[in-house]
Amino acid sequence: MLWAALAYASGIIAGTHLWHPPVIWIAAAAAFLAAGLYFLRRRNWLAAALALGTFFSAGALHIQMTASTNVVDTTLQPLTDGQQVEIIAHVTREGRFREGSPNETRQILDVRTEEILTDDGTEIPAHSGIRLGIYSTLPAGSQLPRETRRFHYGERIRLPIKLKLPRNFHNPGAFDYEGYLASNGIAALGSAKIQDVQSLPGFTGNRLELWRSRIHSSIVAKVNLLWPPPQAALLDAMLIGEEAFIDRDTRVDFQRSGTYHILVVSGMNVTILAFVIFWTLRRFRLADTPATILTILFCAAYACLTEVGAPVWRATLMCSIYLGTRLLYRDRGMLNALGTAALGLLVFDPQQLFTASFQMTFLCVLIVAAIGLPLVERTSSLYRKALAHWDAEDYSTALPPRIAQFRADLRLIAEHLARFIGHPWSLRLVRSLAMISLATFELLLVSAVMQMGLALPMAYYFHRATTIGLPANVAVVPLTQLLMPAAVLAVALGYISPLLAKIPALLTAVALQAITGTVHTLGGLRLADLRVATPSLAIIAASSLALILAMMVVRRRALLAAAGLLALLMMSLALAFISPRPQIRTGLLEVTSIDVGEGDSILLVMPQGRTLLIDAGGPIWGGSSQFDFGEDVVAPYLWTRGISRLDAVAISHGHSDHIGGMASILKDFRPKELWIGLLPPSRALDNLIAEAHSLGINVVRHWEGDKFDLGGAQVDVLFPPQDQPTALEPKNNDSMVLHVSYNNTSVLLEGDAEKAVERRIAALYHPHADLLKVGHHGSATSTTPEILQAVHPTFAIISVGYGNSFGLPKPAVLQRLQASGVRVYRTDLDGAITFYLDGHSVTPALASLP
């Protein structure tokens, strides 16, 4: 079944990249099937190979047939031009609360429209998915309740709204937000104030889903009654998949320690609960068949309640197959269960093959089944036999000499202990300690193999090398095995009597405190914060081959098995500590404006390969958000370029849309220097400088008149002067203005400098440049005729957010640029844009997006 699943997956990949008419794949499948049947009694190996060809053709046919059905709904597109419309809709996904500003809370919910009313009274029937943000605000100083009005599944509502289309950041390596929403049936986004939302009579939806959502909400409410808010937030995520109140720092600690699968509902949760339920039912002397059926039903109900989706259903399917084989009196082969589950899920939805979740789930199980268990079988499981029939004196004669000697040594130790605690207790103690030691060894062994085997997908998808994943999981996984059943029991008893729930709730709290303490301690280590760039094709191929080799030789002679594991270890270390070659062009000055929406982030690569990042984007007005522009936008672009370290970073000035993402850049790329100019009173600036000092980064202040060489390019600082007065808060005219030149080509980088600074620079320096980074995102406060006349650029780049509420860039600015003969590029329309300055000319290049 594993080979069949791999053949089907290969067909899906082929069908995605090699399009052929469906009749070709149908004919191929029929031919493979007929040939396989012909050779079935003649050449079994050939018949098996031809059968795999049938699966391959079926996979290619399936993906091509389903691709045409996954079309994004475009009904709402004409209504996303900024006009206000009124919609009548019903809730398809219950509201999820998100943290906002101190006096604001917001609720995210999905709705499906029933009817849309435009300003001119036109009624448009539409059945499109919309993701809504419903905002509630209170006067300053008021206390927001944790729970406000929640919108429930099936509820019908009416509200005025301005719709907008979802948009990706147009950078290589950017998350496909549009595709993610489309896969969930979402065609547009919108927001509204809660007082503008009108409830309508009636219910629209599925009654079964209504009950499911009510039970889900009830469990979340019960968790919040049984545990205090910080613990309840974590347990909501671990037990039922409700991640609304998990802050970003907590997420990062779990990610850094390699234990993020503990924080979210994963296959491990299903496995633990299935084991506990089955064991409990058998202890109550329930027969094997009903115990198995009830366990599978419980797992399915749990998967339904969590709302996590595919990952939990995958684990439920594998667990069901694994348990079901017991009823057929078959050996429970994990590889067969894995192949059957994979094949079933790919037949249901072939697009899952291309998701990181699907790939890592099955790779994880494959590593355990193909490497971990064989290693356990040839090591600790042999010694477990020495502990069987512990009271039998003559059992040693049935064991191999080495295992018999181990048993004899343990019993000899028990005889010595018997003088102090008695013979029965000494035997029990020695056996228990031996079992614990073997279990610990097995956990260490399997965890180590998993960490090595998952090093490639972790580096490729998440740009992390989980250097402390082994000790973290060894400590956390056993605690999770205590936490999960205790928490489920506490919630169940909570519906009967809060008093009965106190003991399991206390056990849960103790286990949770131990888990979070371990995660925060290990996740806070500097060694844990090892970020890596996208691996090169050579490293990807070598790592894949090492993993396959380890799987092939693990059951062979000890020397070969050790060689396979050593190869896997070496490749995992290479992924962590050998940086790929950056994708740069030497001998050129590169200037790339990264698409960070309404903010700035510019990468300069000098002719000799040194790198400088100026600004890192951020939220407008410093708004609180779980979204980190440095970690989620700028860093993925750099990692995709193979850039693991930066030589220097600079902040033009202290506004949040320029420095909001810089803290993550400092942590992820460990530059040698941080350049700063003016330092007005600002908590954000102070925190950033403190972070740089804690990381050992040299903080350098640059002033007007500084000139120096950086990697073959000349850098001139044109503003600010040392005697420039500072305001009481960061201002646009604090901006550090840089003129960077390479031979006869140059770029002027203004930050958000406004008219006064531009006129000063034009009058004092007449800074001619081939490329101009337009000041203040194309606002009317900048790009004066004086600076255009002095610079006389050929090209200009405007970093600006798509459909921004400020109306930037201003038409007057665009007209001035056009009148000056400047060719303008914009990140809102063009995405990430790169300019290559070769010393004689400038060549623009748009980013190549997948």
Side-chain angles (χ1 to χ4, degrees):
M1 293 306 297
L2 180 63
W3 285 110
L6 291 174
Y8 199 85
S10 301
I12 291 173
I13 296 172
T16 302
H17 299 286
L18 301 172
W19 189 90
H20 291 293
V23 66
I24 299 296
W25 296 116
I26 294 174
F32 279 125
L33 181 59
L37 292 174
Y38 175 79
F39 285 105
L40 185 60
R41 295 182 179 277
R42 295 170 176 83
R43 298 284 189 275
N44 284 342
W45 63 270
L46 183 56
L50 291 168
L52 294 179
T54 305
F55 281 99
F56 176 89
S57 302
L61 174 65
H62 191 186
I63 190 65
Q64 290 191 177
M65 292 181 66
T66 56
S68 59
T69 62
N70 296 330
V71 180
V72 178
D73 184 357
T74 59
T75 307
L76 299 180
Q77 284 189 1
L79 305 174
T80 58
D81 56 357
Q83 63 176 304
Q84 181 167 290
V85 297
E86 192 171 76
I87 66 169
I88 297 174
H90 59 269
V91 179
T92 57
R93 185 173 183 268
E94 285 206 348
R96 296 288 182 269
F97 288 99
R98 297 289 185 267
E99 296 290 353
S101 64
N103 293 99
E104 178 186 84
T105 187
R106 58 193 177 104
Q107 185 178 170
I108 307 299
L109 62 150
D110 295 346
V111 301
R112 181 162 293 275
T113 59
E114 300 174 6
E115 190 174 46
I116 300 177
L117 307 175
T118 62
D119 284 341
D120 59 6
T122 305
E123 297 182 2
I124 303 174
H127 301 281
S128 303
I130 300 176
R131 179 151 292 178
L132 288 178
I134 307 296
Y135 294 81
S136 306
T137 57
L138 288 177
S142 300
Q143 293 293 321
L144 276 173
R146 179 173 174 82
E147 294 288 337
T148 59
R149 161 93 160 86
R150 181 192 288 267
F151 293 90
H152 297 285
Y153 174 82
E155 183 177 352
R156 299 179 68 242
I157 58 176
R158 181 176 186 153
L159 69 154
I161 191 174
K162 288 184 179 180
L163 298 172
K164 64 177 182 179
L165 294 176
R167 182 181 182 271
N168 296 339
F169 290 98
H170 287 181
N171 306 310
F175 174 63
D176 184 10
Y177 183 57
E178 297 174 21
Y180 164 75
L181 290 179
S183 66
N184 287 276
I186 303 300
L189 306 172
S191 61
K193 296 180 179 178
I194 194 168
Q195 57 264 32
D196 295 331
V197 182
Q198 175 187 356
S199 293
L200 299 178
F203 168 84
T204 302
N206 183 286
R207 292 289 176 181
L208 185 61
E209 172 63 19
L210 174 63
W211 280 104
R212 190 209 62 77
S213 62
R214 284 182 176 177
I215 295 172
H216 177 96
S217 300
S218 174
I219 293 174
V220 171
K222 186 63 64 176
V223 168
N224 284 273
L225 284 175
L226 291 173
W227 290 277
Q231 293 182 353
L234 290 168
L235 290 171
D236 283 342
M238 294 178 178
L239 288 178
I240 205 72
E242 180 68 63
E243 303 177 45
F245 290 97
I246 300 295
D247 61 88
R248 188 178 182 100
D249 290 340
T250 300
R251 292 177 189 272
V252 169
D253 279 342
F254 276 89
Q255 290 168 348
R256 291 173 62 177
S257 62
T259 57
Y260 190 65
H261 58 98
I262 303 293
L263 182 61
V264 297
V265 175
S266 65
M268 188 177 71
N269 303 60
V270 177
T271 304
I272 292 172
L273 292 179
F275 171 79
V276 171
I277 294 297
F278 186 79
W279 182 87
T280 303
L281 292 174
R282 293 294 289 154
R283 296 289 79 75
F284 280 101
R285 300 190 180 280
L286 195 65
D288 211 26
T289 298
T292 300
I293 294 173
L294 287 175
T295 302
I296 292 173
L297 290 176
F298 177 87
C299 291
Y302 177 71
C304 183
L305 285 175
T306 59
E307 288 188 345
V308 174
V312 174
W313 282 111
R314 284 196 293 268
T316 300
L317 180 57
M318 283 190 287
C319 185
S320 300
I321 294 170
Y322 194 69
L323 288 173
T325 53
R326 301 177 75 259
L327 303 182
L328 303 175
Y329 301 98
R330 296 276 184 171
D331 289 337
R332 287 155 288 170
M334 284 189 66
L335 291 179
N336 241 6
L338 175 66
T340 304
L343 185 59
L345 289 165
L346 290 177
V347 169
F348 178 75
D349 180 12
Q351 295 288 349
Q352 285 192 58
L353 178 65
F354 303 106
T355 64
S357 172
F358 180 92
Q359 294 171 18
M360 293 193 68
T361 296
F362 282 96
L363 181 59
C364 179
V365 180
L366 182 61
I367 290 169
V368 173
I371 303 179
L373 291 184
L375 286 175
V376 169
E377 288 171 2
R378 64 189 304 168
T379 54
S380 58
S381 65
L382 297 175
Y383 290 94
R384 282 184 178 274
K385 294 179 180 179
L387 303 177
H389 307 290
W390 188 238
D391 296 327
E393 296 287 345
D394 58 349
Y395 180 66
S396 298
T397 58
L399 298 174
R402 178 165 52 106
I403 308 304
Q405 182 63 51
F406 175 69
R407 179 185 174 93
D409 291 340
L410 292 180
R411 293 182 66 85
L412 182 60
I413 294 172
E415 290 296 332
H416 286 291
L417 285 176
R419 303 173 186 175
F420 306 99
I421 59 176
H423 187 71
W425 283 104
S426 67
L427 286 175
R428 292 173 188 169
L429 178 62
V430 169
R431 185 177 185 275
S432 298
L433 290 175
M435 292 292 288
I436 292 172
S437 300
L438 291 174
T440 303
F441 170 79
E442 291 170 0
L443 180 59
L444 284 168
L445 181 63
V446 174
S447 295
V449 170
M450 285 182 59
Q451 294 297 323
M452 292 187 292
L454 293 175
L456 176 57
M458 286 296 295
Y460 185 84
Y461 287 115
F462 306 110
H463 303 286
R464 289 189 180 274
T466 51
T467 52
I468 61 167
L470 177 60
N473 278 282
V474 167
V476 166
V477 168
L479 291 169
T480 307
Q481 294 172 342
L482 169 64
L483 180 144
M484 284 298 298
V488 171
L489 180 60
V491 172
L493 292 176
Y495 283 99
I496 301 172
S497 168
L499 184 63
L500 293 176
K502 282 190 174 182
I503 293 179
L506 179 61
L507 287 175
T508 303
V510 170
L512 185 63
Q513 290 282 11
I515 289 172
T516 54
T518 302
V519 167
H520 292 321
T521 300
L522 295 178
L525 297 176
R526 182 168 179 175
L527 180 64
D529 200 19
L530 184 59
R531 309 307 299 271
V532 296
T534 303
S536 64
L537 289 176
I539 290 290
I540 291 174
S543 300
S544 302
L545 289 174
L547 181 58
I548 294 172
L549 175 66
M551 293 179 180
M552 292 176 62
V553 302
V554 69
R555 294 184 182 275
R556 299 183 182 274
R557 289 184 300 173
L559 188 60
L560 284 175
L565 290 176
L566 180 61
L568 189 59
L569 173 62
M570 296 305 295
M571 291 315 305
S572 64
L573 293 175
L575 286 163
F577 297 106
I578 298 180
S579 300
R581 179 178 297 178
Q583 299 174 17
I584 61 175
R585 299 185 187 181
T586 57
L588 300 171
L589 171 60
E590 175 197 323
V591 181
T592 297
S593 184
I594 303 170
D595 179 13
V596 291
E598 190 62 31
D600 261 6
S601 185
I602 297 176
L603 172 69
L604 278 74
V605 181
M606 307 305 171
Q608 297 173 5
R610 298 191 68 181
T611 51
L612 166 66
L613 182 74
I614 303 174
D615 295 332
I620 302 295
W621 309 122
S624 62
S625 172
Q626 293 288 313
F627 190 84
D628 187 322
F629 280 81
E631 175 81 13
D632 301 328
V633 182
V634 179
Y637 170 75
L638 298 176
W639 285 321
T640 301
R641 294 276 305 269
I643 297 173
S644 302
R645 294 290 180 265
L646 293 167
D647 292 293
V649 296
I651 53 175
S652 61
H653 64 297
H655 280 166
S656 60
D657 58 327
H658 291 251
I659 70 169
M662 189 57 79
S664 294
I665 296 298
L666 297 181
K667 294 176 184 177
D668 292 343
F669 294 89
R670 303 297 169 94
K672 299 180 181 69
E673 295 181 342
L674 168 63
W675 299 356
I676 57 175
L678 292 175
L679 286 176
S682 167
R683 180 180 296 179
L685 283 172
D686 293 342
N687 291 341
L688 190 64
I689 293 172
E691 182 69 32
H693 285 309
S694 70
L695 295 172
I697 298 169
N698 187 27
V699 179
V700 179
R701 299 195 71 174
H702 280 300
W703 303 103
E704 179 181 277
D706 289 351
K707 298 177 182 288
F708 51 92
D709 179 88
L710 181 66
Q714 176 72 25
V715 181
D716 293 276
V717 182
L718 307 185
F719 196 84
Q722 291 197 42
D723 59 356
Q724 178 75 10
T726 57
L728 296 178
E729 60 182 8
K731 299 290 186 181
N732 289 328
N733 275 338
D734 297 341
S735 294
M736 182 192 301
V737 180
L738 301 178
H739 184 265
V740 185
S741 58
Y742 174 54
N743 291 339
N744 295 323
T745 52
S746 58
V747 56
L748 181 65
L749 304 165
E750 289 194 52
D752 278 358
E754 297 181 340
K755 295 176 182 179
V757 173
E758 287 187 342
R759 287 169 180 158
R760 172 190 170 92
I761 291 171
L764 291 178
Y765 298 104
H766 303 284
H768 170 74
D770 302 277
L771 172 63
L772 171 67
K773 186 272 170 187
V774 173
H776 200 192
H777 319 290
S779 172
T781 61
S782 306
T783 320
T784 60
E786 292 89 344
I787 197 71
L788 289 177
Q789 185 177 0
V791 175
H792 196 62
T794 304
F795 298 95
I797 174 64
I798 305 176
S799 181
V800 63
Y802 181 82
N804 64 86
S805 59
F806 306 102
L808 301 178
K810 293 297 185 181
V813 172
L814 295 176
Q815 289 169 8
R816 285 201 293 270
L817 290 167
Q818 184 179 13
S820 299
V822 183
R823 187 175 172 184
V824 178
Y825 289 84
R826 300 162 46 171
T827 57
D828 62 335
L829 301 180
D830 303 311
I833 308 161
T834 298
F835 297 87
Y836 296 103
L837 287 66
D838 63 6
H840 305 285
S841 61
V842 179
T843 304
L846 300 183
S848 177
L849 300 176

